[in-house]
Amino acid sequence: MPNLRWAAVYLISTLLFSSTAFAQERFPSKPVQIVIPAAPATTSDVLARMLSDHLAKRFGQQVIVQNRPGAGGTIAAASVAKAPADGYTLFMVNSQHSLNPLFYDNLPFDTLHDFAGVLQFGDAPSVVFVHPNLGANNLAEFIALAKKQPGKITYGSAGIGTTTHLAGAYLAYRAGIDLLHIPYKGPEVRVDILAGRINMVIAPVPYLVGPAKEGKVLALGVTTRSPLRDPAPLDVPTVEHAALLNDFDYTTYYGFVVAAQTPRPIIEQLAREIRATVEEPKITAWLTGQAIYPRFRPLSEFDAYVKSEMQRMAPVVKATGARRN
């Protein structure tokens, strides 16, 4: 019996020491990886590399950016879902993260269960741009013209299932109009809207801000419920006001997620460090220059927002008839 008692004391002491040592282990103690579903030199890539440089100083560890473009971001997402749930692999996502499960039946991951939200840190509005030759000088005229010519007015996007595709589909759904979607795979969409070969695109502000100021395209409405924040590169009304569409809101969110089951204290630390980095004046200035405005939703609040966006956009995706197997 005494031997058993001493064995029990030894076992408990060992477990307590081990758990204390684990609790005191510093995070991060090795390089951290940021996976992005975008190619080099894109807006997401530039942003990720800026954040990585600043986070590395905070962590005291190297932060490596891994570009994994392709398949609408699902290749990158699958790699993160399968990564160890230890906080060392971060996935920088945007609204495509909410759209992919609405378009694909057989994804190799579950968006709502295989990821844990760390932090949403930004919102980017889009603008309805049309070619002047269309003959619509404001959004009300555009909608009236579309109703007279169902299926005739074209809009371009970066491809089926992308945020730019759903931006046009959302406007058509809310306004009760029939637009003809023209998907692209490269920069030709910008070339074609400037040439008047397509009638409209809904894209982030920087995409056509220069041509809009030169009168080569018309900016008819911003897709948020409030006007662009100062200093704004364009003076443009909201879609809600210009087209009398109540609660019209279509923005691209930016944030970070990690593999599900990552320990909560690590996720909380990541959220704090990322928020502090985004709030650094240099980062905030760059973001607002790209019309990406700070918006913070941490942890489970971000998870709930991703779910709500999936529910909100589901009928819009269904209306496109573009769901894939």
Side-chain angles (χ1 to χ4, degrees):
M1 183 67 70
N3 289 338
L4 288 175
R5 187 179 298 114
W6 280 111
V9 170
Y10 174 79
L11 178 60
I12 293 170
S13 299
T14 301
L15 290 173
L16 287 173
F17 177 82
S18 299
S19 62
T20 302
F22 177 78
Q24 293 177 345
E25 182 177 324
R26 180 180 175 276
F27 175 87
S29 58
K30 61 182 181 180
V32 175
Q33 177 178 236
I34 295 177
V35 176
I36 61 168
T42 58
T43 298
S44 291
D45 176 70
V46 174
L47 173 56
R49 293 182 189 280
M50 288 182 64
L51 293 174
S52 70
D53 289 343
H54 288 250
L55 283 170
K57 295 174 184 176
R58 291 181 175 276
F59 289 154
Q61 293 287 342
Q62 187 178 12
V63 180
I64 303 164
V65 175
Q66 293 283 349
N67 299 84
R68 292 184 179 169
T74 60
I75 294 173
S79 71
V80 175
K82 296 173 184 176
D86 55 11
Y88 285 94
T89 302
L90 285 159
F91 185 25
M92 194 174 90
V93 299
N94 61 24
S95 298
Q96 197 69 52
H97 187 59
S98 300
L99 295 176
N100 282 334
L102 303 178
F103 276 98
Y104 295 93
D105 284 326
N106 299 307
L107 289 174
F109 55 84
D110 186 317
T111 299
L112 295 179
H113 296 99
D114 290 344
F115 301 97
V118 176
L119 180 74
Q120 178 193 344
F121 62 84
D123 267 330
S126 291
V127 172
V128 181
F129 295 104
V130 302
H131 194 273
N133 288 348
L134 181 62
N137 295 310
N138 56 59
L139 203 55
E141 290 181 1
F142 174 85
I143 292 173
L145 191 63
K147 288 183 176 180
K148 291 179 181 178
Q149 303 176 35
K152 300 295 185 181
I153 293 179
T154 57
Y155 78 96
S157 78
I160 294 173
T162 61
T163 56
T164 48
H165 173 200
L166 264 292
Y170 184 64
L171 175 61
Y173 180 80
R174 289 295 312 278
I177 56 178
D178 182 13
L179 302 175
L180 178 60
H181 175 224
I182 309 295
Y184 291 79
K185 292 185 178 180
E188 293 84 3
V189 62
R190 190 175 190 274
V191 174
D192 281 5
I193 184 64
L194 292 176
R197 286 188 284 269
I198 55 175
N199 304 127
M200 185 263 282
V201 296
I202 302 181
V205 178
Y207 191 69
L208 287 168
V209 63
K213 289 182 175 181
E214 296 169 3
K216 295 178 181 178
V217 292
L218 302 180
L220 301 188
V222 62
T223 61
T224 50
R225 292 173 185 163
S226 57
L228 292 173
R229 303 181 197 175
D230 292 330
L234 290 173
D235 183 14
V236 58
T238 65
V239 171
E240 179 179 38
H241 175 75
L244 301 179
L245 297 175
N246 291 335
D247 296 325
F248 188 98
D249 185 52
Y250 187 91
T251 59
T252 298
Y253 67 73
Y254 289 85
F256 283 95
V257 300
V258 290
Q261 308 306 317
T262 299
R264 175 84 176 199
I266 290 177
I267 298 178
E268 291 174 345
Q269 180 182 343
L270 288 169
R272 287 194 302 271
E273 298 292 1
I274 294 169
R275 177 165 185 161
T277 299
V278 170
E279 289 178 332
E280 292 181 22
K282 181 178 179 181
I283 300 294
T284 298
W286 187 89
L287 286 169
T288 54
Q290 300 296 312
I292 302 172
Y293 302 111
R295 173 63 184 266
F296 299 106
R297 288 186 176 97
L299 308 168
S300 57
E301 185 180 341
F302 186 25
D303 287 329
Y305 179 67
V306 169
K307 183 177 181 179
S308 70
E309 281 296 280
M310 288 173 60
Q311 293 171 338
R312 184 171 76 101
M313 296 307 296
V316 182
V317 172
K318 184 178 180 180
T320 68
R323 188 171 176 86
R324 303 169 179 177
N325 294 324

